[in-house]
Amino acid sequence: MKLGNPKNTIEVIQKYDFDFQKKFGQNFLIDERVLEKIISAAEVNKDDFVLEIGPGIGTMTQYLAENAREVMAVEIDKNLIPILSDTLSAYDNVSILNADILKVDIAKIVEEKNGGKPVKVVANLPYYITTPIIMGLFESHVPIDSITVMVQKEVADRMQSGPGTKDYGALSLAVQYYAEPYVVANVPPNCFMPRPKVGSAVIRLTKYKDAPIKVTNEKLLFQLIRASFNQRRKTLQNGIKNFGGLNFSKEQVAQALEEMELPASVRGEALTLEQFAQLSNILDR
Ligand code: SAM
């Protein structure tokens, strides 16, 4: 049975007497146009190995299975596993792993299943762990071509914001260090069952093959970014000086800012990613 509409979704839910688990962020997609938009934005084709996070009852998985060479879907809720074997029984290119995505060694799976070649990640994410999932994928250096995901609209805005806007922050910089973000579509609550309280958006993050920003110390760059946005209202000098794990005096930061021709009173939210990288490289000397 083809999912992706309210009628068939309700039929599956009733057949299995399935209870939605709020704690797992379960809001299933029931809109075919949105599903088609996601598949087309992800540019899934028959060469692709796709990793899906949180297949739910398998709605998007069906679309992925039809378009990709192979799909691997990781689902935490054991009650969904028998449902998935039913709704995906027509496809022989899908495998389901009953596990917590944050505990899975994805690099190992990609190595085994796709010979270490880059994969596409496509998902309607559980919103309560959007940031750890995305940052985990980037930081663990899993070979990735692109990540096309449904997220809370506000989070999509943060991912693609630049300096001087209210949404600009540590997440914007971290995402933009690894990938080029592009918001594909805004999606209202009535495209899901049950309806979430927040608006959603589909965002595609195309991973850079070679990072355009070069730093001598990646760890330091991310510590500086966190320090700068930890207390947004503080000047960069004060934010960095007080941040645990960083051993820079106010004077050292002042000197670096002077070298960069930035005012001593500058706040983190005014700096571009390139400027954070420059600051990191100066302080790393
Ligand atoms: N893909 C389905 C759809 O679009 O209809 C369901 C999306 S729903 C927003 C999120 C899914 O992620 C749920 O099926 C939920 O059980 C699953 N999930 C939540 N936390 C997870 C975790 N830590 N690891 C793997 N899956 C998880």
Side-chain angles (χ1 to χ4, degrees):
M1 182 166 55
K2 193 92 174 89
L3 299 168
N5 62 62
K7 185 175 157 283
N8 293 356
T9 301
I10 291 172
E11 200 178 312
V12 170
I13 300 291
Q14 287 179 344
K15 178 174 169 194
Y16 287 90
D17 201 14
F18 177 74
D19 278 328
F20 286 95
Q21 300 269 343
K22 219 174 172 180
K23 67 169 182 199
F24 289 144
Q26 292 175 343
N27 301 93
F28 299 163
L29 265 168
I30 51 167
D31 189 301
E32 276 166 15
R33 278 167 315 173
V34 174
L35 285 151
E36 274 156 17
K37 225 178 242 179
I38 296 173
I39 303 295
S40 118
E43 296 178 292
V44 175
N45 64 60
K46 282 290 168 196
D47 289 330
D48 289 327
F49 179 92
V50 175
L51 169 70
E52 188 191 6
I53 298 157
I57 58 170
T59 310
M60 191 148 76
T61 326
Q62 291 184 339
Y63 282 77
L64 292 169
E66 270 162 30
N67 290 280
R69 174 174 54 83
E70 202 182 332
V71 182
M72 155 118 200
V74 181
E75 174 56 61
I76 198 170
D77 186 352
K78 67 176 181 347
N79 293 331
L80 287 166
I81 306 305
I83 304 182
L84 287 164
S85 345
D86 179 2
T87 59
L88 300 172
S89 59
Y91 305 99
D92 59 6
N93 59 343
V94 179
S95 53
I96 303 291
L97 180 65
N98 183 200
D100 177 347
I101 189 68
L102 297 178
K103 295 189 181 144
V104 174
D105 186 346
I106 300 169
K108 193 168 153 220
I109 294 178
V110 173
E111 185 55 48
E112 283 168 10
K113 297 231 172 203
N114 205 38
K117 290 199 298 289
V119 298
K120 289 182 178 163
V121 179
V122 185
N124 171 17
L125 286 179
Y127 294 172
Y128 73 106
I129 43 170
T130 301
T131 302
I133 290 177
I134 295 198
M135 292 322 297
L137 286 169
F138 284 144
E139 282 166 6
S140 58
H141 295 284
V142 177
I144 286 173
D145 176 86
S146 60
I147 302 178
T148 306
V149 280
M150 179 84 71
V151 296
Q152 204 175 317
K153 175 163 185 320
E154 195 193 304
V155 175
D157 290 342
R158 275 167 34 208
M159 286 180 185
Q160 64 155 12
S161 288
T165 60
K166 72 168 176 23
D167 294 323
Y168 187 57
L171 183 65
S172 329
L173 286 154
V175 163
Q176 290 165 31
Y177 176 75
Y178 291 108
E180 188 182 343
Y182 167 67
V183 173
V184 176
N186 287 326
V187 182
N190 63 6
C191 295
F192 301 86
M193 181 184 296
R195 293 182 184 189
K197 289 200 178 70
V198 292
S200 302
V202 178
I203 190 164
R204 175 177 159 138
L205 309 172
T206 309
K207 181 128 189 261
Y208 294 123
K209 286 193 182 67
D210 294 302
I213 302 290
K214 304 272 182 256
V215 282
T216 49
N217 184 343
E218 211 172 77
K219 188 170 165 226
L220 175 61
L221 171 70
F222 284 105
Q223 278 176 320
L224 290 170
I225 289 172
R226 268 197 300 275
S228 313
F229 290 96
N230 195 34
Q231 288 159 301
R232 261 191 114 89
R233 302 203 54 77
K234 283 204 167 157
T235 63
L236 197 62
Q237 287 185 26
N238 283 328
I240 293 175
K241 182 192 74 180
N242 292 328
F243 197 71
L246 286 176
N247 278 322
F248 298 110
S249 66
K250 201 169 165 174
E251 290 67 36
Q252 283 173 307
V253 184
Q255 247 175 37
L257 292 177
E258 202 179 305
E259 194 176 325
M260 293 170 66
E261 296 176 14
L262 287 170
S265 61
V266 74
R267 288 195 188 139
E269 61 198 16
L271 263 62
T272 61
L273 178 58
E274 289 77 1
Q275 286 172 318
F276 270 108
Q278 198 186 350
L279 176 66
S280 168
N281 288 344
I282 293 173
L283 290 174
D284 194 40
R285 282 200 306 249

